[in-house]
Every structure is written in structure tokens, then in C-alpha cells.
Amino acid sequence: MVDQQQYLQAMGIQSWQLIHPQRLAGYQSQLIPLDPACRLLLITPTFPSEQEISWLEKVLKSFNVTLDQAKHVAPEQVAQLDLSSLAWIWYAGCEVSIHTQANLLQTPLLSAIKNDTHYRRDLWQQICSYGSQ
């Protein structure tokens, strides 16, 4: 699956959708495992900009996660992933769609949080509610 994802990314394809999903009626796909090093899944409809990534890196450091340990996915991709090994799930700018054992953060889009003191305070309170995990 990784090779297919790299192939699609090389072509500039971020996501795709089946034209005739009814043709797969009854098909049960296996969940896609995440990289074992992945500790945080950032679920947001837009890929973070360079400025947002820089800010995100600072936020992740506050709970001992590096950018290398984080992965971004679009909300419609979450149901395809095996989330059992995650420590953190961060929904930014979308609704919580799957509940797991992972620590859950829910915020507006990163672009909104970065420039709003109220949103940053709410995010910090969510992070602190989990203690030092």
C-alpha cells in the first residue's frame, strides 16, 4: 500500500473517489496499519502550510511528539486506518468520526488556532487534561 500511496503522491493526487462504489457491495477491506513510529494522527481537510507546520512542531513538542511521529490524513480516510496503536488523534476543522483509546484533541483548523489566543488556550487545556503521557 505504501508504494501505491507514493505513486499517487508523485502524480500530485491527494485523494480519489470511486465512481461506482456499488460495484464493491459486500467487500470488506482490511484496515491499513500505520507506521509503528506514528504517535499522532492529524485529521484535517487541508494539508498544513509551512507556517502551520512550524507552529505545529512547537505544539507537538509540548507533549513529546515529533513531526516524524505525526501523520496527516483527510477526514474521509480515517475509517480505512488501524488506529489501535496511536497515542494521540487530533481532529482539526472537522468532526470526530471514530472513537479510540487514543488521547483526543478537537480544534478548529490550524490556521485559525495559530492566530487566536482563545483557541490556543482551549488546545492547551485539552493537552494538559491528559497529563504527562
Side-chain angles (χ1 to χ4, degrees), residues 7 61 76 90 94 100:
Y7 182 69
K61 281 183 185 178
E76 56 272 7
W90 184 346
C94 57
T100 69

Side-chain angles (χ1 to χ4, degrees), residues 16 32 37 50 55 61 70 72 79 86 101 121:
W16 53 275
I32 300 168
E50 286 186 38
W55 176 80
K61 281 183 185 178
H72 166 263
L86 281 175
Q101 299 281 335
R121 186 178 328 113

